[in-house]
Amino acid sequence: MRIVLAQFTSGPDKMRNLSRIEPQVREAARRGATLIVLPEAASHAFGAGRLDHQAEDTDGPFTQGLFSLAKELGVTIVAGSFRPADTVGSINRVYNTTLVLDGHSEHPLILTYDKVHLYDAHSYHESRTVKAGDTLLTFRHGDATIGVATCFDIRFPEQFKELAAMGAHVIVVPTSWADGPGKLEEWRLLTRARALDSGVFIAAAGQSRPNHETEAGEKSGPTGIGFSTLVAPDGRRIVEAGYGPELLDADIDISHVAAVQEDVPLIRLSETGPLRQSRM
């Protein structure tokens, strides 16, 4: 299976972002990818205006535009977006949603995963404007089972182990990982650690860093550091991007998952529980 991680910096307008995403997706498909992973907040960057003004349900123009592209190209696109959630006081909260736009299977469909672990850290309070999800998601992609997580979820190994127990061979992680002192080292460590915890491939696509290398290492807010990566089940980093926009592609063999999990039996496959949702 060929995976492409599409790293770019989104802006404040979802339809302009869609127009920037389209050529990346087309190029990824031209390279032979069937699974294309875009960053968290691909529809609308954090810190670029009110999230509720750009949030949409799955029948909205951003989602439907990506879905049409997925069906046209016969690929599955994973991308970060926002959906309306609820109102708390004067704040219209949204879900931080990872969209799965499956145009690869015989019966195209849209799936959603709402980020479970919100980024209330380093003086940032995502929960003020975002409602947490409470359900995990896996889906089938050819012979593989794909699990879904989003950005800050990567600090919680139990979620990745649970997805592996649900049969995931790959866990996709759309991300908008902030830059700052020590943040790149954290990101590299956590992506490898989650692969080693769960014995699966980690396919993490991040927002590229604003101004790229010129401000590398300085605080960037929740707007991305780059360094999208694909990590093997044994913790080996297969590919890694830099700070700027980039397409990373790699072929993976999902049989490697069973071999690693047999050699280091940390995961026990189990039945679907109350916080699991499996779309086969």
Side-chain angles (χ1 to χ4, degrees):
M1 177 173 65
R2 173 159 290 189
I3 298 176
V4 163
L5 308 177
Q7 180 170 291
F8 79 108
T9 302
S10 61
D13 184 277
K14 62 186 177 185
M15 299 314 291
R16 287 188 179 181
N17 290 328
L18 178 61
S19 68
R20 296 169 65 196
I21 288 167
E22 181 176 352
Q24 287 190 308
V25 170
R26 291 190 182 279
E27 173 59 19
R30 189 194 67 78
R31 296 186 188 186
T34 59
L35 180 62
I36 301 165
V37 188
L38 295 159
E40 179 186 25
S43 67
H44 178 223
F46 289 110
R50 287 178 52 164
L51 298 177
D52 61 317
H53 287 179
Q54 296 281 338
E56 63 177 41
D57 288 315
T58 56
D59 59 355
F62 177 85
T63 304
Q64 287 298 312
L66 275 185
F67 191 35
S68 294
L69 191 58
K71 290 186 289 186
E72 175 194 340
L73 299 173
V75 300
T76 294
I77 302 170
V78 177
S81 185
F82 301 97
R83 296 187 302 123
D86 61 11
T87 300
V88 177
S90 61
I91 297 175
N92 299 320
R93 293 197 302 177
V94 300
Y95 289 113
N96 184 338
T97 297
T98 292
L99 300 167
V100 177
L101 306 148
D102 179 8
H104 181 65
S105 63
E106 184 178 352
H107 303 289
L109 77 165
I110 299 173
L111 301 173
T112 60
Y113 162 72
D114 299 321
K115 186 178 178 183
V116 171
H117 299 98
L118 301 182
Y119 184 65
D120 288 355
H122 299 291
S123 301
Y124 189 85
H125 300 281
E126 187 177 9
S127 61
R128 289 177 180 170
T129 55
V130 177
K131 182 178 180 179
D134 61 5
T135 305
L136 303 186
L137 175 67
T138 64
F139 64 95
R140 292 292 292 179
H141 183 78
D143 294 332
T145 297
I146 313 297
V148 185
T150 305
C151 198
F152 197 57
D153 285 334
I154 206 162
R155 286 190 176 271
F156 297 85
E158 60 272 19
Q159 178 171 346
F160 288 74
K161 291 182 178 181
E162 185 80 352
L163 289 167
M166 293 166 68
H169 301 97
V170 180
I171 300 175
V172 293
V173 192
T175 299
S176 184
W177 191 265
D179 198 0
K183 294 291 288 181
L184 176 55
E185 290 81 2
E186 286 180 355
W187 173 245
R188 284 173 160 165
L189 175 62
L190 288 165
T191 49
R192 292 191 67 215
R194 295 299 80 86
L196 289 166
D197 289 337
S198 55
V200 305
F201 289 94
I202 302 296
Q207 293 263 350
S208 51
R209 201 213 187 285
N211 299 315
H212 310 160
E213 293 87 351
T214 59
E215 297 177 0
E218 299 179 19
K219 290 184 178 180
S220 68
T223 50
I225 192 174
F227 287 86
S228 300
T229 190
L230 180 65
V231 184
D234 59 6
R236 177 175 51 89
R237 198 173 301 284
I238 299 171
V239 290
E240 181 182 71
Y243 288 103
E246 192 169 346
L247 285 181
L248 289 180
D249 56 85
D251 294 309
I252 66 169
D253 180 356
I254 62 171
S255 68
H256 188 38
V257 172
V260 168
Q261 291 182 354
E262 182 178 355
D263 192 40
V264 185
L266 301 176
I267 302 300
R268 181 177 178 181
L269 297 180
S270 55
E271 297 300 321
T272 299
L275 293 184
R276 300 179 185 171
Q277 179 183 12
S278 184
R279 299 295 179 93
M280 306 302 287

